[in-house]
Amino acid sequence: MHKEATIREPLVLGHKTYHQVTEDVCKPIEGKAPKTWYILFAIAAIIGVYGIGCILYLLGTGIGTWGLNKTINWAWDITNFVWWVGIGHAGTLISAVLLLFRQKWRMAINRSAEAMTIFAVFMAGIFPLIHMGRIWVAYWVMPLPNQFGSLWPNFNSPLLWDVFAISTYLSVSLVFWYIGLIPDFSTIRDRAKKPVAKKIYSMLSFGWSGRAKQWSRFETVSLVLAGLATPLVFSVHSIVSFDFATSVIPGWHTTIFPPYFVAGAVFSGFAMVQTLMLVMRKAYNLEAYIHTKHIEYMNIVIMATGSIVGTAYITELFISWYSGVEYESYAFFNRATGPYWWAYATMMTCNVLSPQLMWFKKLRTSLSFTFVIAIVVNIGMWFERFVIITTSLHRDYLPSSWSMFYPTHIDIGIFVGTIGLFFVFFLLFTRYFPVLALNEVKTILKSSGQSYKDGTAKTPAFSIEEQHLADVKVKPSITNETIVSSVQEETKTAPVQKAVDPITDPVIDPALAKIVTSLGSTDATKKDDLKELTGLDAALEDKLNKIGILTFSQIANINPTADLGLLTAYLGNAGSQANLLAWKLEAEEKLKNDNN
């Protein structure tokens, strides 16, 4: 197991065991949804339905219902498209790039970030389709044999590159997300009590049983998909930037667009992840898994990418002056001082100034400040796309054709509707899917969990007893936690057991007989049903009876500091020292309850 430096802060707080991780993640799925969830879902659904209504009206009437005109033929539709694609970048970055760099802090946020990516790309895909106007002939853009003679896609067009880039990005992200969910689905399947839920999660888990071969293949596939997805993080938004960079319009025709767009995409994507994670951690009581350290790491990424975006803005301004091309210079001068100066000022304030506040540790570790800044960044990145597209078009080479863009209620309705649909999908995801990578979080528990960081879980019994006692059903006076604590305390002083060959005939071993004698004598008439103890089956009871262990009082007399190697060797795999001590505690509790 990887040993992590104690100076590093733990990534899992609260002395969690494996079972507690499972309980915390599965609770929102297995329990009843709170009223707040239904209220938010109803609001999102109403907004989403309104957006769908606006889309249907647009398709029935035509794109003249938008605020476009002869000068400005791209506006909110492409702005929203680029904004949603950018938001979808963080999920792939967290899943793929951080996986390749073995960043363990990603495990608490990657599952929800991946879901956010997929839903954001769904929303982005709506806008190019409805921008066609006649969506029922969308298949014309595909390279298919047809009866129209020379009708064939223009492969020189970046818009066609978008089709392949976005579809590839969506496919890889969807496969990556779903494969990661399979082990978690199997956990929910095994815990499900309702037949319908059990059947559904059984189908979703594809028969996952958790065998070593399956985990080996899971790790291999995850690495392969991460390798495939990593180039997509950089290529997809680079290709989106080519929609503008390959044109000759002042303000668009620049080589800095690809890296500038990629940095901006990661910038806005992480801001949206912050917005969703901060709400979700509070709503589902996941503070132990998503805490200030995760928030700080994401804020550092936001600060770094925000600085890159700010540098790109300044570089654009400098090159527009240094180039000596008056049209290029005027495009940027018009952005800052023209009719849309307010949009440019909003963009610069939100995207350049606000992330620099993250240099202060007190601010970047503040949850409330982070939430506000995340929303500010998302607003600023929307205005960035609006400024790039609209201000570069509304004043062209001919002053008589200069115009302004004013969004109609259909423009606004479609954009707000996609936000509603996005939250409908995300709320359904949080209700029926695990919002944390359940099994991946467990893999870092021993290296990054608080119990191992502060030295309270260094005994060998920690992992063994958790596996054995997680689901023990005992009376309220004794809980899993008290058993765990007692076993850990007692095993701290227990001697290391020597390897002993399995015993087949206890009669010929005087040392084993001596251990049994130390537990006290009894007779067959006072025999207890030892199978009442958790994990002690009929075969084990028969073995214990053969050597003279018949009652709970004898098991309660087991000395945790004694050398029990002969007894554990005789009982086999199920008779580990942790199990013996757990049976001792249960037996003591039973005797105490009987006396009362």
Side-chain angles (χ1 to χ4, degrees), residues 203-380:
M203 290 188 292
L204 292 174
S205 61
F206 287 116
W208 178 275
S209 63
R211 290 179 297 172
K213 182 181 286 187
Q214 290 179 340
W215 278 113
S216 175
R217 290 173 177 171
F218 176 84
E219 293 290 339
T220 302
V221 169
S222 296
L223 285 174
V224 170
L225 288 173
L228 291 173
T230 298
L232 291 176
V233 174
F234 304 99
S235 68
V236 171
H237 226 59
S238 296
I239 292 173
V240 170
S241 75
F242 291 163
D243 294 351
F244 312 102
T246 54
S247 71
V248 294
I249 295 176
W252 288 3
H253 189 64
T254 172
T255 56
I256 201 174
F257 264 25
Y260 160 29
F261 268 53
V262 170
V266 176
F267 182 50
S268 61
F270 267 81
M272 182 61 86
V273 171
Q274 291 278 48
T275 306
L276 297 175
M277 292 296 106
L278 287 170
V279 175
M280 193 176 68
R281 70 186 286 275
K282 192 69 176 175
Y284 292 117
N285 300 315
L286 299 174
E287 289 90 344
Y289 309 98
I290 305 171
H291 51 85
T292 52
K293 201 61 188 173
H294 299 86
I295 303 303
E296 183 180 8
Y297 285 148
M298 287 192 282
N299 280 338
I300 290 172
V301 174
I302 289 174
M303 179 179 67
T305 51
S307 299
I308 294 172
V309 169
T311 303
Y313 292 164
I314 297 170
T315 304
E316 280 187 315
L317 292 173
F318 171 75
I319 293 300
S320 68
W321 166 79
Y322 187 72
S323 66
V325 179
E326 61 178 323
Y327 301 106
E328 193 76 20
S329 301
Y330 181 76
F332 287 92
F333 180 78
N334 179 55
R335 285 182 184 179
T337 62
Y340 288 109
W341 66 269
W342 52 272
Y344 186 80
T346 302
M347 175 191 81
M348 295 296 284
T349 303
C350 296
N351 296 346
V352 179
L353 299 181
S354 64
Q356 302 311 311
L357 297 173
M358 298 296 186
W359 285 101
F360 301 98
K361 186 177 178 67
K362 186 175 181 180
L363 293 179
R364 71 172 179 262
T365 55
S366 169
L367 302 184
S368 54
F369 176 79
T370 297
F371 184 74
V372 172
I373 287 295
I375 293 175
V376 166
V377 167
N378 274 311
I379 292 172

Side-chain angles (χ1 to χ4, degrees), residues 63-77 131 404-408 411:
I63 58 174
T65 56
W66 281 339
L68 305 177
N69 51 57
K70 289 186 294 182
T71 305
I72 306 171
N73 45 28
W74 273 7
W76 272 40
D77 50 326
H131 191 269
M404 294 287 290
F405 171 78
Y406 301 101
T408 65
D411 281 298

